[in-house]
Amino acid sequence: MKLNRLAGLVWAATACFFSCALAQPGGDSLGATLTRISTREAVYLGYRETAQPFSFLLAGQDKPQGFAWDLCEEVIQVVQQRLGKNIHVVPVPVTESARVMMVKSGMIDLDCSGGVNSVARQKQVAMSNTIFVGEHRVMVRRGSGIERFEQLADKRVAVLNAGQAERFVRQAALGRNISLQLLSVNSPVEAMTLLLRGDVDAFVGEDVMLAIQRAAQQADLVLLEGGLAAEPYALMFAKDDASFKKLVDETLVAMMQSGLFARVYDKWFVLPSSSEHAALGLPMSPLLKAAVQAPNDKPVN
């Protein structure tokens, strides 16, 4: 009888230990990610060293910066409030090919480098509400007379041989029943040289990449309105942790409703934020404005 009673007390104490470990002061379940962060009093944030303006590391500095990194810092402020303690931030460099594995294995708690939210990716990890919508767009010389895609008929168009720009251009041309001359190049610098020299009439690629190239060369170039294809970007974290996803998404929604999200966006995509970061001149697109008005985590196929 005494043994049964003792066993019951041990079971009750064990159950209390785990339930207390997984509960916040208010009594709600923290979930695996917040519990892990609370236990070690540290959060591991993934960043890419050269993914401007989402996350990057300047030479001689040990703290990353960028748009997605700033959003993550706001999330960590909420994490600290939720846990009622200071949390040490540990930046962890990641690569495009390894970051999903690093999230799944727990090597990082939150990926702050900004990544495409796709159906395939959501099968492996969780994605936040949309923080950016990348578009493949057309860039031309100012005064060229080209104001819409249809005017590229019989024109010379540069695309990178790595990536999806060529496919998107061919699809758009077929859908509009026009023909054009595609020139596949090895690098953005090569494409910019051809465009500025007049050897091609347009350069098609991801809007952020185009804006970075334009800013770097201080070139008088124009991004045409409207994109050929769109991809939502999001923060990435462990799958099947409803508590952490709720915290991340609610933090982003609060930022969007207060106007803080727009200010952080302008800092990195519109205005020059430092001597090392030129103004990209890339205001919020209609697609991103819609995602801010109606936050969602819908993936692209």
Side-chain angles (χ1 to χ4, degrees), residues 54-106:
F54 297 98
S55 72
F56 58 98
L57 190 65
L58 294 176
Q61 296 189 7
D62 55 8
K63 181 184 177 182
Q65 55 183 307
F67 173 64
W69 185 264
D70 280 0
L71 298 182
C72 282
E73 287 193 327
E74 290 296 322
V75 170
I76 300 310
Q77 290 293 325
V78 177
V79 167
Q80 292 184 124
Q81 294 170 11
R82 175 82 177 270
L83 299 178
K85 63 175 73 175
N86 291 327
I87 298 298
H88 178 57
V89 174
V90 182
V92 181
V94 302
T95 62
E96 176 63 29
S97 60
R99 58 183 176 159
V100 170
M101 176 276 294
M102 294 176 75
V103 168
K104 292 175 65 177
S105 66

Side-chain angles (χ1 to χ4, degrees), residues 129-133 135 230 232 253 256 261 265 283-298:
N129 285 339
T130 297
I131 63 169
F132 180 76
V133 180
E135 296 182 86
V253 169
M256 292 171 179
F261 181 89
Y265 180 92
M284 276 197 198
S285 67
L287 291 176
L288 181 54
K289 288 180 179 179
V292 170
Q293 289 296 317
N296 67 85
D297 63 356
K298 294 178 182 177

